[in-house]
Amino acid sequence: MKLGTHGAIQPGPPDGSCEQPGPLGPSQQNGAVPGEQGKQEKSVKRGNWGNQIEFVLTSVGYAVGLGNVWRFPYLCYRNGGGAFMFPYFIMLVFCGIPLFFMELSFGQFASQGCLGVWRVSPMFKGVGYGMMVVSTYIGIYYNVVICIAFYYFFVSMTHVLPWTYCSNPWNTPDCVGVLDGNLSNRATLNFTQLLNTTQKRTSPSEEYWRRYVLNLSDDIGNLGEVRLPLLGCLGVSWVVVFLCLIKGVKSSGKVVYFTATFPYVVLTILFVRGITLEGALTGIMYYLTPQWDKILNAKVWGDAASQIFYSLGCAWGGLITMASYNKFNNNCYRDSIIISITNCATSVYAGFVIFSILGFMANHLGVDVSKVADHGPGLAFVAYPEALTLLPISPLWSILFFFMLILLGLGTQFCLLETLVTAIVDEVGNEWIIRKKTFVTLGVAVAGFLLGVPLTTQAGIYWLLLMDNYAASFSLVVISCIMCVAIMYIYGHRNYFKDIEMMLGFPPPLFFQICWRFISPAIIFFILVFTVIQYRPISYNDYVYPTWAISIGFLMALSSVICIPIYAIYKVCRSEGDTLLERLKNATKASKDWGPALPEHRSGRYAPAFSPSTESHLEVQPLQPEKGQSEAAAASPVQGSNGSAHSQDSRL
């Protein structure tokens, strides 16, 4: 707390520390006063984005990830082609954009990460811990995928791609390469097609992936040896992520100018090349042709909702974290619409790129597009690399494709790591850890690398898919649902709408108010029910996961959700009150320090307890009157450049 020029107590820094008045900031030196446009909006201690473009690009890089390339196109053709677009965009409007806007506004209003924002209702802070657990799991295995993309990127720098022919030591007699032995005429392709009917054809790209890159073991429990090339690439990917985040958002905000935009350049280059290939139109038509009979299938709607939810990165904690570095009055409503639509448009665009190439490949092999279409790692590291071998100057296209995957992955990984670091720094909150934030980032990166080492073993891909399917699936839905309920019904929708009006200058549109209160929670609940009903035990090609491995998967999923009830019970037990009801009320009531982080933004119900009308009647009586008078004479006011007076002796 500080003493003002008239002896009234005025609010000090939001963290409660007492600081001497520093040099006048730019907004004070040019005569601006609190309440005007020129007031200081940046958090000097915590940091802010350099400008709004950095935030938008970072959020686009976070939302647009590998799933846009290897999951959406597959879901689209599996669920009715063009007909899938209808439920997809409905889910975007009624669930995706509203949830995106909610998380951005939540983090921006409080200028806190996924833990600090729960001052709004302390009992639900377990939701923030759950977000941290989910981001930890995703951050571990996501960087392993990036490291595999790094590996393919490096080995593509050659005259002939190593997965072009079947004449390598790792190939089996079942390997049938499209380019082996000049197999380019239609008669030979018919022989290849005949071969497919009698035995399972294995392509050189598939054998390179399974037998050389992974050297895949026969069971998830048989870890085997660490694949040293992958371990080296994992180290490279973590070093890149750390260097880009070494100064927090100040450094990552500059890197995203490249990492968030260049994938679109590569996608466009691959698209232009793809549509000029023979059979490309067949692949695109297969991708887009509507099958309207499937639109009444609940599974199609469930897949659309899940894809929107997962693709936008809701409930990961990253959106709250990125928005917390915004200026208080930034128009996050506009940003949420721009970023959400950009993400979904990227998915659709990537589908054209992928299926133009797959159509060409199907035409070359003489098979249906469905025979070469795949999703997940199978598309990125088997089907697409094989298609690249059919193109002239194939190493060039391979380098471009895997460079695009690296950049798409890094954009998401930056935010995952920053989410964890910000949560730790905000939670501890002292000056030392704020100054040493770089070392916190280093510690998290080193821990992520060590935890990712088992995923580079011969059984690593089994563990990676297990984490992908369980660690960040239904737990995200539960976390998001509880977040909606806590904000809308515990904190109160009227309070939250007033907060947004205070921050943006206008309340959220009526459509968003209805979605937040009713429609979005209903859709989230539908996703949860759909996930449970449609549950199938995980498998990888012909390998079926054992029961003990699936049990570990469920434990990973529960480890994030269980944080919510555990912390709620702890908070209720620690709250004041004689009865359980009183404890519940105190545990869910917003903290006194909830609200805007900077004092100049704390107006209205967040204003200091002493109003101007009471300040005139407030006197601070010194313990020794005669000593107080002499000190008051010595502590003469100092006139500021904007005409305001500052007392030199401003400490209590």
Side-chain angles (χ1 to χ4, degrees):
M1 305 289 283
K2 293 183 180 180
L3 270 176
T5 54
H6 303 291
I9 296 179
Q10 295 180 341
D15 60 354
S17 60
C18 294
E19 297 177 0
Q20 292 284 9
L24 298 176
S27 60
Q28 292 175 310
Q29 290 173 350
N30 59 18
V33 296
E36 291 184 348
Q37 283 297 107
K39 70 183 179 184
Q40 181 72 19
E41 288 194 351
K42 293 190 176 183
S43 174
V44 177
K45 182 186 294 185
R46 195 168 181 273
N48 288 89
W49 298 107
N51 55 61
Q52 206 49 36
I53 296 176
E54 292 181 8
F55 166 68
V56 172
L57 288 178
T58 302
S59 300
V60 167
Y62 177 62
V64 177
L66 299 173
N68 298 70
V69 172
W70 74 26
R71 181 167 168 79
F72 174 80
Y74 170 79
L75 285 178
C76 203
Y77 91 78
R78 190 183 75 177
N79 290 305
F84 180 71
M85 303 285 187
F86 182 69
Y88 182 74
F89 284 112
I90 285 181
M91 292 300 175
L92 170 67
V93 171
F94 287 98
C95 185
I97 296 178
L99 287 178
F100 206 91
F101 180 29
M102 175 182 279
E103 291 203 27
L104 290 190
S105 59
F106 196 26
Q108 180 174 306
F109 182 78
S111 297
Q112 290 288 314
C114 62
L115 290 181
V117 289
W118 288 104
R119 295 169 183 168
V120 71
S121 185
M123 193 178 85
F124 291 93
K125 192 174 183 178
V127 174
Y129 285 111
M131 290 177 173
M132 283 187 67
V133 173
V134 169
S135 289
T136 300
Y137 285 136
I138 298 174
I140 291 169
Y141 78 77
Y142 213 84
N143 226 20
V144 175
V145 178
I146 298 172
C147 95
I148 298 173
F150 263 114
Y151 177 80
Y152 271 81
F153 174 75
F154 292 139
V155 299
S156 296
M157 298 177 183
T158 180
H159 293 296
V160 179
L161 294 175
W163 57 86
T164 303
Y165 300 108
C166 289
S167 56
N168 302 291
W170 59 81
N171 291 127
T172 67
D174 294 335
C175 179
V176 179
V178 179
L179 299 177
D180 274 324
N182 298 320
L183 303 182
S184 58
N185 56 62
R186 180 55 55 187
T188 311
L189 284 177
N190 287 337
F191 168 75
T192 305
Q193 193 170 4
L194 178 65
L195 194 65
N196 279 331
T197 63
T198 57
Q199 66 180 36
K200 178 175 172 57
R201 169 186 177 267
T202 57
S203 63
S205 63
E206 182 179 356
E207 293 201 347
Y208 180 76
W209 162 248
R210 290 171 62 92
R211 296 176 59 84
Y212 184 75
V213 178
L214 302 178
N215 194 10
L216 196 62
S217 68
D218 58 352
D219 185 72
I220 187 172
N222 181 16
L223 293 179
E225 64 181 9
V226 172
R227 303 291 296 142
L228 292 179
L230 294 183
L231 183 65
C233 290
L234 182 64
V236 169
S237 58
W238 273 112
V239 168
V240 170
V241 171
F242 168 70
L243 291 177
C244 293
L245 287 174
I246 195 167
K247 291 186 177 179
V249 295
K250 291 181 180 178
S251 55
S252 66
K254 303 298 183 287
V255 176
V256 293
Y257 281 105
F258 179 73
T259 60
T261 56
F262 197 73
Y264 291 97
V265 176
V266 178
L267 273 177
T268 303
I269 293 171
L270 292 173
F271 174 69
V272 172
R273 181 67 184 110
I275 58 175
T276 60
L277 299 170
E278 185 181 358
L281 186 60
T282 306
I284 292 174
M285 291 305 295
Y286 189 89
Y287 167 54
L288 290 179
T289 303
Q291 301 172 34
W292 295 111
D293 57 311
K294 289 190 175 183
I295 206 168
L296 299 177
N297 190 340
K299 189 176 188 311
V300 174
W301 290 82
D303 278 345
S306 300
Q307 176 62 13
I308 283 289
F309 187 84
Y310 188 83
S311 178
L312 288 175
C314 298
W316 290 15
L319 298 177
I320 294 174
T321 302
M322 295 303 105
S324 72
Y325 292 103
N326 277 334
K327 294 179 181 177
F328 181 73
N329 298 116
N330 169 63
N331 190 347
C332 56
Y333 166 66
R334 171 202 62 203
D335 295 341
S336 62
I337 294 176
I338 292 173
I339 298 164
S340 301
I341 293 177
T342 301
N343 172 68
C344 296
T346 303
S347 296
V348 176
Y349 187 38
F352 283 98
V353 177
I354 296 297
F355 273 88
S356 63
I357 300 289
L358 294 181
F360 161 69
M361 184 178 175
N363 178 76
H364 204 92
L365 291 172
V367 298
D368 191 69
V369 178
S370 61
K371 301 294 183 184
V372 293
D374 202 349
H375 74 109
L379 173 65
F381 302 118
V382 177
Y384 211 87
E386 183 176 16
L388 293 172
T389 62
L390 305 175
L391 301 176
I393 327 175
S394 54
L396 171 64
W397 306 111
S398 183
I399 289 172
L400 284 175
F401 176 73
F402 289 110
F403 188 52
M404 177 188 70
L405 288 188
I406 290 169
L407 295 181
L408 287 174
L410 287 175
T412 303
Q413 189 68 17
F414 290 158
C415 297
L416 289 169
L417 190 63
E418 187 63 39
T419 297
L420 299 175
V421 173
T422 298
I424 294 169
V425 172
D426 285 350
E427 185 65 8
V428 177
N430 58 41
E431 292 286 344
W432 181 86
I433 199 167
I434 292 173
R435 290 197 306 269
K436 303 295 183 182
K437 186 177 178 181
T438 300
F439 293 100
V440 178
T441 307
L442 177 62
V444 173
V446 170
F449 170 76
L450 295 176
L451 292 171
V453 171
L455 302 185
T456 62
T457 61
Q458 290 177 258
I461 193 69
Y462 297 131
W463 289 101
L464 190 151
L465 293 175
L466 186 72
M467 295 178 73
D468 186 40
N469 278 270
Y470 289 95
S473 56
F474 79 87
S475 54
L476 288 175
V477 185
V478 174
I479 289 171
S480 188
C481 190
I482 294 176
M483 182 180 71
C484 279
V485 171
I487 295 175
M488 289 294 106
Y489 296 100
I490 306 299
Y491 176 60
H493 62 276
R494 290 187 179 88
N495 289 334
Y496 196 66
F497 298 160
K498 288 177 183 176
D499 290 344
I500 290 182
E501 184 173 9
M502 173 184 167
M503 179 172 64
L504 302 182
F506 58 88
L510 181 62
F511 171 77
F512 284 89
Q513 295 183 21
I514 295 172
C515 283
W516 285 346
R517 294 183 63 195
F518 308 110
I519 300 176
S520 296
I523 292 176
I524 294 170
F525 184 72
F526 163 70
I527 297 172
L528 181 60
V529 173
F530 166 78
T531 305
V532 173
I533 293 175
Q534 294 290 328
Y535 170 75
R536 297 287 183 277
I538 183 177
S539 61
Y540 177 58
N541 293 337
D542 298 329
Y543 176 74
V544 179
Y545 280 68
T547 305
W548 65 266
I550 294 175
S551 301
I552 291 177
F554 276 114
L555 288 175
M556 283 193 290
L558 288 173
S559 63
S560 55
V561 177
I562 201 69
C563 295
I564 301 172
I566 288 177
Y567 190 86
I569 294 170
Y570 163 77
K571 192 65 182 177
V572 170
C573 292
R574 294 293 300 269
S575 297
E576 297 178 353
D578 298 326
T579 65
L580 179 61
L581 185 60
E582 288 179 1
R583 288 174 179 268
L584 278 172
K585 285 182 178 179
N586 289 327
T588 55
K589 188 170 59 178
S591 302
K592 292 180 180 179
D593 54 353
W594 160 251
L598 298 181
E600 55 262 40
H601 296 136
R602 297 183 74 92
S603 59
R605 58 201 175 98
Y606 296 106
F610 301 101
S611 62
S613 60
T614 60
E615 281 184 7
S616 59
H617 302 290
L618 179 67
E619 295 181 3
V620 178
Q621 298 292 343
L623 294 176
Q624 301 178 18
E626 64 282 353
K627 184 178 178 181
Q629 290 174 359
S630 61
E631 287 184 355
S636 58
V638 178
Q639 196 77 5
S641 60
N642 62 350
S644 62
H646 300 274
S647 173
Q648 286 180 326
D649 187 12
S650 62
R651 289 178 179 263
L652 269 177

